Amino acid sequence: MPPVRRPGAGFDMHHDQAALRDVLDADGHLYVFGYGSLIWRPGFTHAAAHPALLRGFHRRFCLWSHRYRGTPQQPGLVLGLDRGGACRGLAFRVAAAEAAEVLAYLDDRELPDGAEVVYHRRLLPLRLLDSGRMVRAVAYVANRGCRLYVGRLSPERAAAAIAAGHGQMGANRDYLLNTLRHLREMGVRDAGLDRIAELLPAT
């Protein structure tokens, strides 16, 4: 499925109702898939948060961060959806009346103007685990073509970068540990993230 056009790239979500309808599910709501910091800091109004399963992508520390969790001199790492496998997270259900505002907020957060485009906004099918229903959801997928995309890093290298990383949003280790804590509260274990956390030096 091709990347969804972002606000400002040829249309205005607030005025182009056809474009807005394109990102709504058949039930008339917007769904947003959270797999990292969106789980514990969504930052937008939503009617519900459903446990969800996305197939075809997995959660991975695959993007260098020069801004939010690191600097150009001391890059941190942030999570992205990368090809293959599956990923459990949360699907936030947003009323249609709030959809344009929420998408504008998310694009500003995930696709900051003038910065490296590290994510593509995509519409992907996922399963709501509390009902079994399939919906279409907006998800931010790692842009493998950007210079900040990371190939396969060993857990040791990832842990070293995360231990040292600190950016505008705080310590990189807090990003990892907050994500792990909230995943565990959802009953989700991520072996890759667990391994990196085990390798972090004690504070």
Side-chain angles (χ1 to χ4, degrees):
M1 198 173 292
V4 179
R5 294 173 299 171
R6 55 180 291 194
F11 67 91
D12 183 336
M13 278 283 188
H14 288 278
H15 297 99
D16 190 335
Q17 292 303 305
L20 183 56
R21 284 195 299 272
D22 285 346
V23 299
L24 300 181
D25 187 62
D27 68 5
H29 293 93
L30 171 70
Y31 289 87
V32 178
F33 184 62
Y35 56 89
S37 63
L38 280 180
I39 292 175
W40 45 271
R41 190 176 63 84
F44 58 87
T45 300
H46 52 278
H50 304 271
L53 175 66
L54 173 67
R55 296 195 180 277
F57 296 88
H58 64 286
R59 175 179 27 243
R60 188 164 76 85
F61 277 105
C62 60
L63 294 163
W64 292 116
S65 176
H66 289 178
R67 181 180 177 187
Y68 291 142
R69 297 292 173 174
T71 66
Q73 297 74 30
Q74 187 71 67
L77 284 167
V78 290
L79 292 164
L81 288 173
D82 208 1
R83 299 175 191 162
C87 182
R88 283 184 62 186
L90 287 179
F92 296 97
R93 177 163 53 86
V94 177
E98 309 289 341
E101 182 178 350
V102 167
L103 285 171
Y105 162 77
L106 289 169
D107 278 357
D108 185 61
R109 171 173 167 165
E110 306 294 347
L111 308 171
D113 185 35
E116 186 85 15
V117 178
V118 296
Y119 297 104
H120 291 307
R121 172 154 57 81
R122 300 277 300 273
L123 263 180
L124 299 172
L126 55 78
R127 185 176 299 279
L128 304 181
L129 296 176
D130 51 1
S131 67
R133 196 162 67 85
M134 296 295 295
V135 299
R136 295 189 314 158
V138 165
Y140 288 86
V141 174
N143 173 13
R144 284 187 157 212
C146 82
R147 66 187 176 90
L148 299 181
Y149 176 77
V150 184
R152 290 287 172 183
L153 277 184
S154 69
E156 290 78 12
R157 283 195 64 198
I162 289 169
H166 196 287
Q168 292 178 9
M169 298 302 294
N172 205 173
R173 68 183 295 134
D174 292 344
Y175 172 89
L176 165 59
L177 296 177
N178 270 333
T179 301
L180 272 177
R181 179 167 62 85
H182 283 79
L183 288 175
R184 287 170 182 156
E185 288 173 359
M186 295 164 52
V188 176
R189 298 305 295 262
D190 187 307
L193 270 59
D194 280 337
R195 178 58 179 153
I196 293 170
E198 289 168 0
L199 292 167
L200 289 176
T203 55

